[in-house]
Amino acid sequence: MEFFKKNWSNILFIILIVLLIIPQTRKPIQVTLNRIIAFSPSKIAADDRETLEDYNWNLSNLQGEPVNFKKSIGEVAVINLWATWCPPCIAEMPSFQKLYNEYGDKVDFYFVSTEDQEKLQRFLDKKNYRLPVYQPLSMAPQKLQSRSLPTTFVISRDGKIAVNKTGSANWNDSGFKDLLDQLLKEN
C-alpha cells in the first residue's frame, strides 16, 4: 500500500499513456480533451481581412447533386474542412450542429470532406447530425485551401474572410454568434 501512495501519480501517468496507445480509447480521449480546450474562434480585424475573389468551387452534396460555391456570393458563409477520423473535427461538431440549428436559414454552411460518401453518411447518422456535408469536385479557391484539419473560414457578404481558424473551437459561443449577427447586418 505504501508503494501506491508514493507512486500514484506515476501509475496514473502510465495508465494514461497506455490508454492513448490503444486506438479504441485514444480517439475518445482526444475528442474529450479537444472539447475541454476549445474556445471561441478569433475574428480577423476588419482592416486585416483578405477578400475572397474566386468563388468557383465545384462540390457535391451527399445525394450526389452538384453545387457550386458561387451560389454564396453576397451571403455570409461558414466553410469547415473536416474528416471523420480527425479528433479535433469530431470535438467541434456538436457546437456546429447547435450553430447550424440556429443560423442554418440565415448563413450558408459548407462542411467539406474528401472522405467516401457512405462513410460520411454513416458518421452523420450515428451522431444524429443534420449538417450540409459536401465533397469537393474541384480544388478550393486558393484562399480557402488548408493542409490542416479542421480548418474553418467565415466569409462576409462582401467576400472578406472574417475568420480563418485551424483547430477545434466552440462555434456555438455567444462571441462567435455576435460576429455572425454583425456580418448578417452588413450589406
Side-chain angles (χ1 to χ4, degrees):
M1 192 53 119
E2 187 67 30
F3 173 79
F4 288 111
K5 283 184 179 180
K6 280 185 169 179
N7 297 300
W8 69 270
S9 62
N10 290 337
I11 294 168
L12 191 61
F13 182 72
I14 290 169
I15 290 171
L16 181 62
I17 296 298
V18 169
L19 290 174
L20 287 173
I21 291 171
I22 302 169
Q24 291 83 354
T25 56
R26 176 180 49 234
K27 195 173 191 178
I29 291 170
Q30 290 174 317
V31 168
T32 302
L33 289 175
N34 271 281
R35 284 189 182 144
I36 291 170
I37 62 171
F39 298 104
S40 180
S42 301
K43 66 179 179 180
I44 299 170
D47 294 340
D48 297 332
R49 294 178 184 172
E50 294 184 68
T51 302
L52 180 66
E53 294 167 9
D54 178 13
Y55 277 76
N56 189 28
W57 188 15
N58 293 311
L59 304 162
S60 172
N61 65 20
L62 293 185
Q63 291 71 45
E65 300 162 341
V67 174
N68 193 299
F69 184 60
K70 284 182 183 180
K71 80 177 192 79
S72 291
I73 293 175
E75 301 295 333
V76 176
V78 174
I79 303 108
N80 177 257
L81 309 177
W82 70 288
T84 62
W85 51 262
C86 164
C89 302
I90 296 167
E92 67 182 3
M93 281 296 166
S95 68
F96 266 131
Q97 182 63 62
K98 290 175 185 170
L99 184 72
Y100 178 74
N101 291 347
E102 190 172 340
Y103 285 87
D105 59 340
K106 303 173 202 162
V107 173
D108 289 349
F109 284 87
Y110 296 85
F111 294 89
V112 181
S113 177
T114 59
E115 290 181 282
D116 177 72
Q117 177 182 350
E118 291 174 11
K119 186 174 199 171
L120 292 167
Q121 192 62 59
R122 275 194 313 272
F123 175 84
L124 295 171
D125 292 344
K126 179 181 176 186
K127 301 291 187 176
N128 201 28
Y129 294 143
R130 301 292 170 242
L131 301 167
V133 175
Y134 299 91
Q135 296 171 295
L137 298 176
S138 64
M139 290 292 289
Q142 183 66 36
K143 291 182 181 173
L144 298 181
Q145 293 181 12
S146 175
R147 293 180 182 260
S148 300
L149 295 179
T151 298
T152 303
F153 301 94
V154 178
I155 313 297
S156 66
R157 291 184 193 277
D158 62 352
K160 302 283 185 185
I161 300 174
V163 173
N164 179 350
K165 169 74 173 131
T166 300
S168 63
N170 178 5
W171 298 98
N172 196 42
D173 177 82
S174 62
F176 182 69
K177 289 179 185 179
D178 289 346
L179 172 64
L180 282 183
D181 292 335
Q182 177 187 357
L183 294 175
L184 287 166
K185 289 177 186 173
E186 295 175 358
N187 288 330

